[in-house]
């Protein structure tokens, strides 16, 4: 999957010449996208595809790096993945099936943590042009990736086991993307946290292609809390969630034990 920048540039140039030499691209748009990546691992920045309204594949787009990252490598690889069309797009139902397209992948230099940037040009089969600047936060912790700490309040019965959370990463067809890992970064003072792999129900919003997944149990990671016997009052804990896509999330729990 990961190749040298020199070979990658040559491959993309050949595609550009073969696919677009006979027609100039339309006026393009410029967008900026923020992404996070785990140090030294391959992270999908984007998936580029062109579909008809009936979800049939039109053709591959042409992608080339205008500005390669300073602290890592970009690669482009053809494959299949799920799309992310908005609910008001007539292709919204296409999100529930895999489509052919091109992955834009990033891998940081070994041991690097900090900011990075890459800029690419995308020419779609209809000759439309898009320039995307990716601003990257790279690290091995949620703080290094710039993730905001999420605060969650929960109430627990003293001495009883209470489910605090269920974290998961699910495709639109309700299959698991991969294991969602949770580690405790701050243990509770008056009880214990337990992390288990299991299944539970999701809570996707209606405008999410995964909404129908709420009707069935899916795999993920469960967080349980149990206070010391007889303890009542306030407690707190913090965990860091690692998703298979490479992003991290920090969650702080404020617990009221009664």
């Amino acid at each position: 999957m990961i190749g040298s920048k020199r070979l990658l540039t040559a491959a993309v140039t050949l595609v550009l010449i073969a696919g677009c030499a006979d027609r100039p691209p339309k006026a393009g748009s410029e967008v900026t996208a923020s992404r996070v990546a785990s140090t030294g691992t391959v992270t999908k920045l984007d998936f580029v595809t062109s579909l008809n309204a009936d979800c049939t594949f039109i053709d591959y787009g042409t992608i080339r790096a205008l500005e390669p990252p300073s602290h890592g490598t970009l690669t482009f690889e053809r494959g299949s993945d799920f799309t992310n069309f908005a609910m008001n797009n007539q292709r919204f139902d296409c999100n529930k099936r895999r489509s052919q397209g091109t992955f834009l992948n990033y891998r940081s230099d070994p041991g690097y943590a900090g900011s990075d940037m890459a800029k690419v040009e995308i020419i779609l089969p209809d000759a439309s042009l898009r320039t995307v600047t990716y601003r990257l936060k790279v690290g091995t912790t949620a703080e290094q990736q710039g993730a905001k700490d999420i605060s969650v309040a929960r109430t627990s019965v003293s001495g009883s086991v209470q489910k605090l959370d269920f974290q998961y990463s699910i495709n639109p067809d309700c299959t698991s993307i991969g294991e969602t890992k949770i580690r405790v970064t701050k243990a509770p003072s008056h009880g214990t946290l337990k992390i288990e792999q299991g299944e539970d129900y999701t809570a996707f919003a209606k405008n999410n292609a995964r909404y129908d997944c709420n009707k069935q149990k899916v795999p993920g990671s469960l967080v349980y809390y149990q206070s010391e016997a007889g303890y009542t009052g306030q407690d707190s804990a913090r965990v860091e969630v690692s998703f298979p896509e490479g992003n991290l999330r920090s969650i702080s729990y404020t617990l009221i034990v009664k």
Side-chain angles (χ1 to χ4, degrees):
M1 181 178 293
I2 301 301
S4 70
K5 295 180 183 177
R6 182 177 299 175
L7 289 175
L8 175 63
T9 303
V12 174
T13 302
L14 287 173
V15 175
L16 178 63
I17 294 172
C20 301
D22 58 342
R23 53 177 178 167
K26 298 177 184 178
S29 61
E30 292 194 19
V31 297
T32 300
S34 298
R35 297 286 188 268
V36 296
S38 293
T39 299
T41 63
V42 177
T43 298
K44 182 183 77 174
L45 299 185
D46 248 326
F47 178 64
V48 177
T49 188
S50 294
L51 303 180
N52 292 304
D54 64 355
C55 305
T56 55
F57 179 60
I58 299 174
D59 201 355
Y60 294 100
T62 298
I63 308 170
R64 69 185 183 97
L66 298 179
E67 297 180 28
S70 300
H71 304 284
T73 305
L74 277 184
T75 56
F76 311 137
E77 181 182 15
R78 291 181 178 182
S80 64
D81 201 5
F82 294 92
T83 55
N84 191 31
F85 292 107
M87 194 173 187
N88 61 357
N89 191 304
Q90 59 185 336
R91 297 166 182 80
F92 179 73
D93 287 339
C94 303
N95 294 340
K96 298 180 181 180
R97 65 179 75 175
R98 287 184 178 272
S99 302
Q100 293 299 114
T102 305
F103 292 96
L104 280 71
N105 295 324
Y106 168 84
R107 183 173 187 172
S108 76
D109 296 333
Y112 178 75
S115 298
D116 206 354
M117 187 273 286
K119 189 174 184 179
V120 302
E121 182 179 75
I122 302 170
I123 303 177
L124 297 176
D126 65 354
S128 60
L129 172 67
R130 182 186 307 156
T131 302
V132 185
T133 299
Y134 296 97
R135 301 197 181 280
L136 309 167
K137 288 286 188 179
V138 185
T140 57
T141 67
E143 183 179 5
Q144 289 174 337
Q145 288 190 356
K148 294 182 179 179
D149 188 67
I150 299 172
S151 297
V152 177
R154 293 285 187 267
T155 302
S156 179
V157 176
S158 180
S160 298
V161 176
Q162 171 71 50
K163 184 185 78 173
L164 298 184
D165 219 341
F166 178 51
Q167 295 289 325
Y168 43 84
S169 190
I170 303 298
N171 289 308
D173 65 352
C174 306
T175 57
S176 176
I177 295 176
E179 184 179 358
T180 299
K181 300 176 182 179
I182 300 178
R183 69 181 182 92
V184 179
T185 55
K186 179 182 177 296
S189 301
H190 304 284
T192 57
L193 281 187
K194 186 178 181 180
I195 313 297
E196 287 186 354
Q197 294 294 312
E199 293 186 339
D200 206 348
Y201 292 97
T202 57
F204 292 108
K206 195 168 186 178
N207 63 352
N208 192 305
R210 299 163 181 79
Y211 178 72
D212 288 340
C213 300
N214 295 341
K215 300 175 183 179
Q216 65 188 70
K217 287 188 174 183
V218 299
S221 294
L222 295 143
V223 183
Y224 295 97
Y225 169 80
Q226 184 175 20
S227 75
E228 298 168 348
Y231 175 77
T232 58
Q234 188 168 309
D235 206 353
S236 64
R238 184 182 299 113
V239 301
E240 188 172 81
V241 186
S242 175
F243 295 96
E245 303 95 318
N247 57 310
L248 302 169
R249 177 182 298 167
S250 179
I251 305 176
S252 294
Y253 301 103
T254 298
L255 308 166
I256 304 300
V257 185
K258 295 188 175 183

